[in-house]
Amino acid sequence: QVQLVESGGGLVQAGGSLRLSCAASGNIFKINAMGWYRQAPGKQRELVARITSGGSPNYGDSAKGRFSISRGTAKNTVYLQMNNLKPEDTAVYYCKAEEITSYWGPGTQVTVSS
């Protein structure tokens, strides 16, 4: 079983930055991809960013060139650098790890004040 823990969320002012971290532990065979998703109240969960084991990133429209995902494969970690944050970015951010099955972290709250 793979367990994920997110960190780095919090309260920031519009225009500020945050760096989210996710660390995987447990019975890891090979993580093929890791990603960040978010869900705001009353909204559907959406893709923010995803990166494969080969280092190929994909971004959801919500990222709009402001976010950057990176991965430390050896430590089974993934990061999300978020710049120029907007109130619309307020949501719970979830880390996802993909093997044959997928694993989700418990989420970390990001709140952007205007």
Side-chain angles (χ1 to χ4, degrees):
Q1 181 179 344
V2 176
Q3 300 174 26
L4 304 176
V5 178
E6 304 103 333
S7 62
L11 174 64
V12 298
Q13 294 183 17
S17 299
L18 282 176
R19 184 174 177 86
L20 304 184
S21 300
C22 175
S25 62
N27 187 21
I28 300 172
F29 177 69
K30 184 181 186 298
I31 296 177
N32 298 313
M34 299 186 73
W36 290 95
Y37 299 74
R38 71 185 186 186
Q39 187 167 21
K43 300 286 187 178
Q44 186 173 283
R45 185 174 299 186
E46 64 176 348
L47 169 71
V48 178
R50 178 179 179 270
I51 187 167
T52 67
S53 60
S56 298
N58 290 285
Y59 295 96
D61 291 340
S62 59
K64 298 180 179 179
R66 299 175 295 124
F67 299 173
S68 179
I69 189 170
S70 60
R71 184 177 176 181
T73 306
K75 295 185 177 182
N76 294 305
T77 55
V78 66
Y79 306 94
L80 182 68
Q81 179 67 44
M82 304 188 294
N83 299 320
N84 192 25
L85 284 161
K86 304 175 180 179
E88 308 90 84
D89 296 317
T90 296
V92 177
Y93 285 69
Y94 298 92
C95 180
K96 180 185 179 184
E98 301 174 20
E99 293 187 326
I100 297 175
T101 60
S102 296
Y103 302 88
W104 291 89
T108 184
Q109 176 71 233
V110 171
T111 303
V112 184
S113 62
S114 59

